[in-house]
Amino acid sequence: MTDAAVRMAGITKRFPGVIANDDVDLEVERGEVHALLGENGAGKTTLMNVLYGLYQPNEGEVYVDGQRQDFDSPRDAIDAGIGMIHQHFMLIDPMTVAENIVLGNEPRKWGGLVVDREASREAVVELSQRYGFDVDPDARIEDVSVGVRQRVEILKALYRGADVLILDEPTAVLTPQEVRELYGVFEELTDRGKTIIFITHKLGEAMHAADSITVLRDGKNVGQVEADDTTREELAELMVGREVILEAEKPPNDPGDVALSVEDLSVVDDRGVERVRGIDLVVREGEILGVAGVDGNGQSELIEAITGLRTPDGGTVELNGEDVTESPRRARIDGGMAYIPEDRQETGLVMEYDLVENGLLGSQHDPAYAPGGRIDWPATREHVEDVIESYDVRPPDPEATAESLSGGNQQKFVVGRELSRDPSVVVASHPTRGVDVGSIEFIHDQLLDLRAAGKAVLLVSSKLDEVQQLSDRLAVVYEGEFVAVVDPDRVTEEQLGLLMAGEEPGTVPEAERLEVSR
């Protein structure tokens, strides 16, 4: 019997007040693709950070190719053949692909005094050809796609001798086409004897790309299964500990009056670059308008202009018939607009504040919580307790700081705070980003309840299954413009991926295109 590529035995990792990994066993066979699946806060990334030497376990042992290892740093793990590609790429934009790959391990000449650029380039070309990667060694990182950047990160690990590759949420910012290409990369690497471990909370991704799957819940290993012998429903129940409804039910709707209108909107970013170019959109009462696109195509600037966080450089924004183009954020809240931001930690919460203080954000001038201009803390606390209970925020402690909550619970709290204002218009930007399957189900239900109650919802998401399931109409954004507006029930994921990648709408003949201002 051959040794596993990786074996972790009884791994326990504690942080102050938290047991992130609780006596976890993990075994990964050589040459397989292994998915590490679980909710946010389940301990997946912590376990892999132990394997990569970023953390040292309080208890337990790590074996690589049958040899006991004690990693004091990532350098030790790299020397043992472990490579890790993080969710946020660690590349230097102005440098070339080849320079990034060899950085820190450059071939040298003249007695080691000078980097041998030609030898560096040749090494990268040889490595790329060996694994069938189509990358230009001379291209600058700032000029290549997200998918190519990911391949560069993989090549960087391979250049350093990695036999086991760990990828953290590898498809988070990829188009469907890039995701399929990544699966091809996995196959190519395992065919050549490499071992892949990838962290994910996406059920379909684990089943499609992995040979075997380990599920973590609350820091414990609750099961290891072969991908061919399980179902999405079984995996979801393992992840959450209960039965989960995976497909949101969207009943027919009858849209009412226009609640949010945007006309000829243009937005220039802080560097003077036009990020939004002449966008028109209308969202009616009782409907969800989805916006799909690869991150970085103007969605953030569009939402900032609509919600009052940025002044547009042209065009108008109307909220319930009132021109709010120049109005501050507070006026839009008073006018009935709620905003679920794309980055809960940067713009949704003050991380060191407790939940009572965070629950007041955006309502500090509301007479219900600040009569006469003085904050009524008992009333605020009672309101926050209602949000915590209604939205199942854990731990259910209004005095807990935002930073002490898992990502999924932070998101549920932000959603609860915003929706508790009884808004007429909700702008939801990536409302389930980085959120586990149980919280996704809950947030989707909330958005559909808003639709049923006659509210207008503008939903921005890079998750195609999310916008297709929830939207009544779906606009695809590319380089700051809507390239098509389609019926989500009549367009395929493949067609959406082509549109998101900049293909002309005429190349998607089966997609029924709708008017954005219908």
Side-chain angles (χ1 to χ4, degrees):
M1 179 178 175
T2 60
D3 291 311
V6 169
R7 185 164 71 87
M8 305 179 79
I11 298 297
T12 296
K13 179 61 183 175
R14 302 184 187 92
F15 297 100
V18 177
I19 302 178
N21 294 140
D22 188 357
D23 193 26
V24 175
D25 294 335
L26 175 70
E27 188 163 309
V28 181
E29 295 300 321
R30 186 180 292 110
E32 77 166 350
V33 179
H34 193 99
L36 194 59
L37 182 68
E39 298 185 279
N40 275 5
K44 308 182 298 295
T45 299
T46 298
L47 187 66
M48 289 299 96
N49 282 338
V50 168
L51 178 57
Y52 190 55
L54 282 167
Y55 296 150
Q56 286 69 52
N58 298 102
E59 300 168 22
E61 299 171 338
V62 175
Y63 297 83
V64 178
D65 288 330
Q67 298 296 311
R68 168 76 185 271
Q69 302 286 346
D70 291 300
F71 297 147
D72 292 324
S73 69
R75 171 52 61 187
D76 293 341
I78 291 168
D79 290 344
I82 306 292
M84 188 166 183
I85 292 88
H86 299 273
Q87 186 173 353
H88 301 289
F89 302 148
M90 298 183 180
L91 300 172
I92 300 175
D93 284 354
M95 294 177 66
T96 68
V97 166
E99 289 168 340
N100 270 277
I101 290 171
V102 304
L103 186 63
N105 293 270
E106 302 93 340
R108 292 185 174 270
K109 58 184 179 181
W110 298 353
L113 296 175
V114 177
V115 173
D116 190 335
R117 296 184 181 276
E118 187 57 34
S120 298
R121 187 182 186 282
E122 289 174 1
V124 170
V125 169
E126 189 277 328
L127 191 67
S128 301
Q129 291 175 346
R130 188 192 319 166
Y131 291 99
F133 284 16
D134 182 19
V135 298
D136 177 0
D138 301 316
R140 296 192 182 278
I141 292 298
E142 60 194 0
D143 297 327
V144 302
S145 69
V146 174
V148 171
R149 293 182 190 208
Q150 189 171 66
R151 293 186 184 198
V152 173
E153 286 278 22
I154 293 171
L155 285 169
K156 189 167 70 171
L158 294 171
Y159 179 76
R160 285 155 178 76
D163 286 315
V164 177
L165 288 164
I166 305 164
L167 292 92
D168 190 355
E169 299 285 357
T171 66
V173 293
L174 302 182
T175 67
Q177 285 77 14
E178 289 172 327
V179 170
R180 282 191 290 276
E181 290 171 2
L182 178 64
Y183 294 161
V185 168
F186 285 177
E187 185 174 347
E188 182 70 31
L189 290 169
T190 53
D191 284 348
R192 294 177 178 272
K194 303 300 183 182
T195 302
I196 307 291
I197 306 172
F198 71 94
I199 300 167
T200 185
H201 62 264
K202 299 177 182 178
L203 302 172
E205 180 173 290
M207 293 191 64
H208 185 87
D211 300 304
S212 59
I213 303 165
T214 294
V215 183
L216 297 188
R217 184 173 77 235
D218 296 331
K220 296 178 182 291
N221 181 338
V222 294
Q224 180 169 330
V225 297
E226 296 300 308
D228 292 338
D229 297 333
T230 190
T231 65
R232 294 172 76 236
E233 289 75 17
E234 289 173 353
L235 289 174
E237 191 163 345
L238 275 175
M239 285 174 65
V240 181
R242 62 173 175 82
E243 184 178 356
V244 177
I245 298 173
L246 297 174
E247 301 250 340
E249 292 188 13
K250 183 179 66 179
N253 71 326
D254 183 18
D257 295 334
V258 173
L260 176 66
S261 174
V262 170
E263 185 173 348
D264 196 25
L265 197 71
S266 297
V267 183
V268 174
D269 69 12
D270 296 335
R271 297 176 301 165
V273 177
E274 188 177 35
R275 304 290 295 166
V276 177
R277 300 181 179 92
I279 277 184
D280 299 322
L281 67 83
V282 158
V283 192
R284 297 181 180 275
E285 298 169 346
E287 79 162 347
I288 298 176
L289 172 66
V291 176
V294 177
D295 283 350
N297 276 276
Q299 301 98 310
S300 297
E301 291 79 9
L302 172 65
I303 295 307
E304 288 172 357
I306 290 174
T307 57
L309 296 175
R310 182 183 293 271
T311 301
D313 293 86
T316 58
V317 178
E318 290 191 359
L319 175 62
N320 295 316
E322 296 291 328
D323 188 335
V324 295
T325 310
E326 304 288 337
S327 301
R329 175 88 187 98
R330 177 181 168 188
R332 302 186 202 209
I333 294 173
D334 293 342
M337 179 183 288
Y339 174 40
I340 302 168
E342 65 177 282
D343 190 328
R344 54 185 169 260
Q345 296 187 358
E346 287 294 321
T347 53
L349 298 163
V350 179
M351 299 301 289
E352 62 269 25
Y353 283 10
D354 64 30
L355 297 187
V356 174
E357 294 166 317
N358 272 290
L360 187 65
L361 298 179
S363 299
Q364 57 267 41
H365 302 287
D366 188 331
Y369 310 112
R374 296 176 64 87
I375 295 173
D376 185 340
W377 288 111
T380 303
R381 182 186 177 90
E382 183 177 346
H383 163 65
V384 168
E385 288 173 344
D386 288 343
V387 169
I388 289 171
E389 181 179 359
S390 299
Y391 289 82
D392 190 29
V393 178
R394 302 177 190 177
D397 178 8
E399 294 181 2
T401 60
E403 62 189 352
S404 71
L405 272 59
S406 71
N409 282 294
Q410 290 172 1
Q411 189 72 5
K412 285 193 288 186
F413 182 79
V414 171
V415 171
R417 181 191 67 202
E418 294 301 307
L419 301 191
S420 67
R421 297 189 178 116
D422 191 26
S424 57
V425 173
V426 176
V427 179
S429 184
H430 304 279
T432 62
R433 171 174 281 169
V435 168
D436 56 69
V437 64
S439 297
I440 288 171
E441 176 196 29
F442 180 83
I443 292 170
H444 284 180
D445 286 345
Q446 300 305 307
L447 295 176
L448 289 172
D449 286 348
L450 289 166
R451 174 180 180 266
K455 313 297 185 182
V457 180
L458 177 62
L459 169 65
V460 177
S461 178
S462 56
K463 295 181 178 180
L464 296 190
D465 57 344
E466 180 167 77
V467 286
Q468 282 190 277
Q469 282 185 41
L470 299 180
S471 303
D472 298 295
R473 291 177 296 131
L474 180 54
V476 182
V477 63
Y478 177 73
E479 292 189 347
E481 298 179 283
F482 284 164
V483 295
V485 182
V486 301
D487 183 338
D489 297 326
R490 294 174 60 88
V491 68
T492 67
E493 188 172 289
E494 175 75 20
Q495 291 166 342
L496 281 176
L498 290 171
L499 291 169
M500 288 166 60
E503 290 287 333
E504 290 295 324
T507 63
V508 190
E510 294 84 0
E512 178 183 329
R513 280 173 284 281
L514 305 174
E515 292 298 324
V516 72
S517 56
R518 184 187 69 179

